[in-house]
Amino acid sequence: MPMDDKKIRSKISEITVNQKIKDTQGTYLLRIKDPFIASNFKPGQFVMIKSNLNDFDPLLSRPYSIFNRFNENEFEVLYRLSGKGTKSLGSLEKGDAVLVTGPLGNGFDTGIAKKSGFEKVKLSEEKQKIHVIVAGGIGIASLYFLPQYIFSSGKDIQDRAGIQNRNMDQVKDYDPGNKIILYYGSRTETELYFRYSIHANFDEVYFSTDDGTFGHRGNILELVDKNIGEYLRKDIDARFYSCGPKPMIAELMRKTGAWGLSLQVSLEEVFACGLGVCLGCVVKCKNSENNGYVYKRVCKDGPVFYSDELY
Amino acid sequence: MSNNTGISLSVKLGKLHLNYPVMPASGTFGYGEEFSDITDFTVFGALVTKGISLEPSNGNEMPRICETPCGLINSIGLENVGFKRFKKEKLPFLKKFNIPVIVNFFGKSIEEYRILASELSGLDGVSALEANISCPNVKEGGRAFGADPEIVYDLVSSVKESSKLPLIVKLSPLVTDISLIAEVAEKAGADILSLINTFPATHIDISTRKFTLNRGYGGLSGPAIKPVALKLVNDVHNAVRIPVIGMGGISLWQDAVEFFLAGASAIAVGTAAFINPNIITEIIAGLKGYLLNNGFKSIYEIIGIASAGK
Ligand SMILES: Cc1cc2nc3c(=O)[nH]c(=O)nc-3n(C[C@H](O)[C@H](O)[C@H](O)COP(=O)(O)OP(=O)(O)OC[C@H]3O[C@@H](n4cnc5c(N)ncnc54)[C@H](O)[C@@H]3O)c2cc1C
Ligand SMILES: Cc1cc2nc3c(=O)[nH]c(=O)nc-3n(C[C@H](O)[C@H](O)[C@H](O)COP(=O)(O)O)c2cc1C
Ligand code: FES
């Protein structure tokens, strides 16, 4: 089989931008030249990046969500300095090379609504659709591209170059029913990335910080609570997407479960391979046999799961 | 050979014929499906499965992996789909490539090894068996099968009685005298030996004062174990007449050359493929280049030729 048949590519690619984002504590925007990944990913998918090509410490590649498609040749990653892997990535410059494998994982499902139970239901044609995106801190990285993807119905995004720069007014008539809402919370103002520009992609945006330095003071889910009446209306088809800290995800799962609304969450685990072969990243999922659960791989069967699949 | 350098990389491991002397290590390649989406198997000497047991196994609770300097500790707990699902869902895919399929397997007792070996031998598309003898022997209080020469002898001879397929015995590095274990396995009928399996190892989180892995410990792989693995491969090569498949931390083609020089007739790559899924293809290219540049025509010319002294 020629290489061109492969769904996933692994190759050394060039960094075109690696810049600390202003007003943040060590959060970087990384842009990589890789036409295959730039034109073939879905939001929620990720790449494995090995930044130190000439030594073995850190040994493993690290997973990063594909944050944005910059153009048909380049995609972007948002990362926060933490340990060995991100520090090594942070030391690289424009023109340096990294080993990139991707796109990996399943990504968000934007086309089919899933209510309680396991049957998949087509999004109702006559109902108004509301996509509710709930992001916590760096979790925005896997959700940022969702609006563009939803506008293009997830189809042939490569033919829609420039769509990322559309603002809401331009796309309104593209799919008039769709409404996309962002709830975005973090500990403090400097961890709310793109807080001044992110409005362009959404119909409504709500911010919160734990310390009250930007937006609502407190938990982002308190803001969701305030508007839940709208999402529960009979003529509305609302679906939730989320990525963020574990406690936020757990609380949102509890809430959407009680409301009977569909929720997809992007999970995080420590990965060794990211390819689905080592079985190092499993999560318990519901199953009628086998003591009620089966292990699924976060990297391959996820990282996005419907909340009602999780055990 | 696909190109005209005239260099031969094919090897015969007893009755097992490989076009290329490099293969994935068990447990790092799943059952082949995932890698087939990323890389071509054209220059793979064999396809090697995750360890199979008679019944499916869930494996250990999370966390299962922990990175250490130049190494990886895993405690997957031998999670696998079990014999029945392997036969029905995994083997048909592996068979498609016309590359020898090596099935890695294990049991909780010698009896289980024997039954499984006999079941696997009945399947069309299995080219060889690899017995992982580093796992706990439940009857003997959980001590690894591979640590006791008498148990190794019984295990290997009973597997040989129940299966006609070439048998690879995969040795544990955690033994006092690996040459002795290797000799015993050879005497009991092993056709090929492979080594090393991972090294028991652990990591402690000093802030929580708990072991990082849920089970407390796991097996160390990756570049950190390469020097140890190389020495053990050389010891085993010197102790037996049957061929040896060497592995443990191989991450570059230069590492592969070292293992051949130490006496391996073929090598396997595990952890390094997590980082670079094209590693086997790159190692093959590197090996060819090395042989060519040093005036060798066949991989056999460098197997076991490393010498001591000036
Ligand atoms: C699917 C997926 C997508 C991701 N996307 C992004 C992204 O877009 N941007 C980004 O900055 N990071 C992302 N991450 C996390 C990222 O891969 C790194 O794990 C993280 O940045 C820390 O790596 P490091 O090498 O700097 O730190 P390390 O040296 O590996 O670790 C520093 C500390 O953090 C802990 N740790 C490491 N990884 C995790 C984890 N995944 N969960 C909990 N604790 C952990 C370690 O145990 C250690 O205590 C993602 C992870 C996954 C699984
Ligand atoms: C995640 C993981 C799973 C493994 N599973 C198995 C297994 O099922 N059976 C087995 O015999 N060896 C298993 N091994 C051991 C490898 O086959 C190999 O012997 C070891 O990792 C050393 O090689 P490496 O350093 O190239 O990874 C596993 C190793 C890893 C890292
Ligand atoms: S990280 Fe290896 S299977 Fe998910």
Side-chain angles (χ1 to χ4, degrees), chain A residues 278, chain B residues 25-28 50-51 72 74 76 78 104 132 170 196-198 221-222 225 247-250 269-271 274:
Chain A
C278 77
Chain B
S26 170
T28 64
K50 170 79 186 155
L72 166 70
N74 87 79
I76 308 302
L78 294 170
N104 183 286
N132 173 3
K170 183 160 177 181
I196 62 174
N197 211 319
T198 55
S221 63
I225 66 170
M247 70 191 91
I250 297 174
V269 186
T271 307
F274 295 167

Coordinates of all heavy atoms in Angstrom, one line a residue, chain A residues 278, chain B residues 25-28 50-51 72 74 76 78 104 132 170 196-198 221-222 225 247-250 269-271 274, ligand 2:
Chain A
C278 N -0.6 0.3 23.3 CA 0.1 -0.1 24.6 C -0.9 -0.4 25.7 O -0.6 -1.1 26.6 CB 1.0 1.0 25.0 SG 0.3 2.4 25.8
Chain B
A25 N 8.0 -5.7 19.0 CA 8.0 -6.5 20.2 C 6.6 -6.7 20.7 O 5.7 -5.8 20.6 CB 8.8 -5.8 21.3
S26 N 6.3 -7.9 21.3 CA 5.0 -8.2 21.7 C 4.5 -7.1 22.7 O 5.2 -6.7 23.6 CB 5.0 -9.6 22.4 OG 3.8 -9.8 23.1
G27 N 3.2 -6.8 22.6 CA 2.6 -5.8 23.5 C 2.8 -4.4 23.1 O 2.2 -3.5 23.8
T28 N 3.5 -4.1 22.1 CA 3.7 -2.8 21.7 C 3.2 -2.5 20.3 O 3.4 -1.5 19.6 CB 5.2 -2.4 21.7 OG1 5.9 -3.2 20.7 CG2 5.9 -2.6 23.0
K50 N 0.2 -9.0 20.8 CA 0.1 -8.8 22.3 C -0.1 -10.2 22.9 O -0.7 -11.1 22.2 CB -1.1 -7.9 22.6 CG -1.5 -7.8 24.0 CD -0.6 -6.9 24.8 CE -0.9 -6.9 26.3 NZ 0.3 -6.4 27.1
G51 N 0.4 -10.4 24.1 CA 0.3 -11.7 24.8 C -1.2 -12.2 24.9 O -2.0 -11.4 25.3
L72 N 10.4 3.6 30.3 CA 9.0 3.6 30.5 C 8.7 2.4 31.4 O 9.1 1.3 31.1 CB 8.3 3.4 29.1 CG 6.8 3.0 29.1 CD1 6.0 4.2 29.6 CD2 6.4 2.6 27.7
N74 N 5.7 0.0 32.6 CA 4.3 -0.3 32.4 C 3.8 -1.4 33.3 O 4.5 -2.3 33.6 CB 4.1 -0.7 30.9 CG 4.3 -2.1 30.6 OD1 3.4 -3.0 30.9 ND2 5.5 -2.5 30.1
I76 N 0.5 -2.9 32.5 CA -0.8 -3.1 31.8 C -1.5 -4.3 32.4 O -2.7 -4.4 32.4 CB -0.5 -3.4 30.3 CG1 0.4 -2.3 29.7 CG2 -1.8 -3.5 29.5 CD1 -0.1 -0.9 29.8
L78 N -1.2 -7.5 31.3 CA -1.5 -8.5 30.3 C -2.9 -8.5 29.8 O -3.5 -9.5 29.5 CB -1.0 -9.9 30.7 CG 0.5 -10.0 30.9 CD1 0.9 -11.3 31.6 CD2 1.3 -9.9 29.6
N104 N 2.3 -14.3 20.7 CA 2.8 -14.3 22.0 C 1.7 -14.8 22.9 O 0.6 -14.4 22.8 CB 3.3 -12.9 22.4 CG 3.9 -12.8 23.8 OD1 3.3 -12.9 24.8 ND2 5.2 -12.6 23.8
N132 N 5.7 -16.3 26.7 CA 6.1 -15.3 27.6 C 6.2 -16.0 29.0 O 5.2 -16.4 29.6 CB 5.2 -14.2 27.7 CG 5.5 -13.2 28.8 OD1 6.4 -13.3 29.5 ND2 4.6 -12.1 28.9
K170 N 10.5 -16.7 25.5 CA 10.9 -15.4 25.8 C 11.3 -15.3 27.3 O 10.6 -15.5 28.2 CB 9.8 -14.4 25.5 CG 10.2 -12.9 25.8 CD 9.2 -12.0 25.1 CE 9.6 -10.6 25.4 NZ 8.6 -9.7 24.7
I196 N 15.3 -9.2 25.8 CA 14.7 -9.4 27.1 C 13.3 -8.9 27.2 O 12.9 -8.0 26.5 CB 15.6 -8.7 28.2 CG1 15.7 -7.2 28.1 CG2 17.0 -9.3 28.3 CD1 16.4 -6.5 29.2
N197 N 12.6 -9.5 28.2 CA 11.3 -8.9 28.6 C 11.7 -7.7 29.5 O 12.8 -7.5 29.8 CB 10.5 -10.0 29.3 CG 9.0 -9.7 29.1 OD1 8.5 -8.6 29.1 ND2 8.3 -10.8 28.9
T198 N 10.7 -7.0 29.9 CA 10.9 -5.8 30.8 C 11.5 -6.2 32.1 O 11.3 -7.3 32.6 CB 9.6 -5.0 31.0 OG1 8.6 -5.9 31.5 CG2 9.1 -4.5 29.7
S221 N 11.1 -0.6 30.3 CA 11.6 -0.8 28.9 C 12.2 0.5 28.4 O 12.2 1.5 29.1 CB 10.4 -1.2 28.0 OG 9.4 -0.1 28.0
G222 N 12.7 0.4 27.1 CA 13.2 1.7 26.6 C 14.7 1.7 26.7 O 15.4 0.8 27.2
I225 N 17.2 0.3 29.5 CA 17.6 -1.1 29.7 C 18.5 -1.7 28.6 O 18.9 -2.8 28.7 CB 16.3 -2.0 29.8 CG1 15.5 -2.1 28.5 CG2 15.4 -1.5 30.9 CD1 14.4 -3.2 28.5
M247 N 16.2 -8.0 22.0 CA 15.4 -6.7 22.2 C 15.6 -6.1 23.5 O 16.2 -6.8 24.4 CB 13.9 -7.0 22.0 CG 13.3 -7.8 23.1 SD 11.6 -8.4 22.7 CE 12.0 -10.0 22.0
G248 N 15.2 -4.9 23.7 CA 15.4 -4.1 24.9 C 16.0 -2.8 24.6 O 17.2 -2.7 24.5
G249 N 15.2 -1.8 24.5 CA 15.7 -0.4 24.3 C 16.2 -0.1 22.9 O 16.7 1.0 22.7
I250 N 16.0 -0.9 21.9 CA 16.5 -0.6 20.6 C 15.7 0.6 20.0 O 14.5 0.5 19.9 CB 16.4 -1.8 19.6 CG1 17.3 -2.9 20.2 CG2 16.8 -1.4 18.2 CD1 17.2 -4.2 19.4
V269 N 11.6 -4.4 18.2 CA 11.6 -3.0 18.7 C 10.2 -2.8 19.3 O 9.2 -3.1 18.8 CB 11.7 -2.1 17.5 CG1 11.8 -0.6 18.0 CG2 12.9 -2.4 16.6
G270 N 10.2 -2.3 20.5 CA 9.0 -2.1 21.3 C 8.7 -0.6 21.5 O 8.2 0.1 20.7
T271 N 9.2 -0.1 22.7 CA 8.9 1.2 23.1 C 9.2 2.3 22.1 O 8.5 3.3 21.9 CB 9.7 1.5 24.4 OG1 9.4 0.4 25.3 CG2 9.4 2.8 25.1
F274 N 6.5 3.6 19.8 CA 5.5 4.5 20.4 C 5.9 5.9 19.9 O 5.0 6.7 19.7 CB 5.5 4.4 21.9 CG 5.1 3.1 22.5 CD1 5.3 2.9 23.8 CD2 4.4 2.2 21.7 CE1 4.8 1.7 24.4 CE2 4.0 1.0 22.3 CZ 4.2 0.7 23.6
Ligands
LIG2 C1 3.3 -1.6 27.1 C2 4.1 -2.8 26.9 C3 3.4 -4.1 26.9 C4 4.1 -5.3 26.7 N1 3.4 -6.5 26.7 C5 4.1 -7.6 26.5 C6 3.4 -8.9 26.4 O1 2.1 -8.9 26.3 N2 4.1 -10.0 26.2 C7 5.5 -10.0 26.2 O2 6.1 -11.1 26.1 N3 6.2 -8.9 26.3 C8 5.5 -7.7 26.5 N4 6.2 -6.5 26.6 C9 7.7 -6.5 26.6 C10 8.2 -6.2 25.2 O3 7.8 -7.1 24.2 C11 9.8 -6.1 25.2 O4 10.3 -7.3 25.6 C12 10.3 -5.0 26.1 O5 9.4 -3.9 26.1 C13 11.7 -4.5 25.8 O6 11.8 -3.9 24.5 P1 11.8 -2.3 24.3 O7 12.7 -1.7 25.2 O8 12.1 -2.2 22.8 O9 10.3 -1.9 24.5 C14 5.5 -5.3 26.7 C15 6.2 -4.0 26.8 C16 5.5 -2.8 26.9 C17 6.3 -1.5 26.9

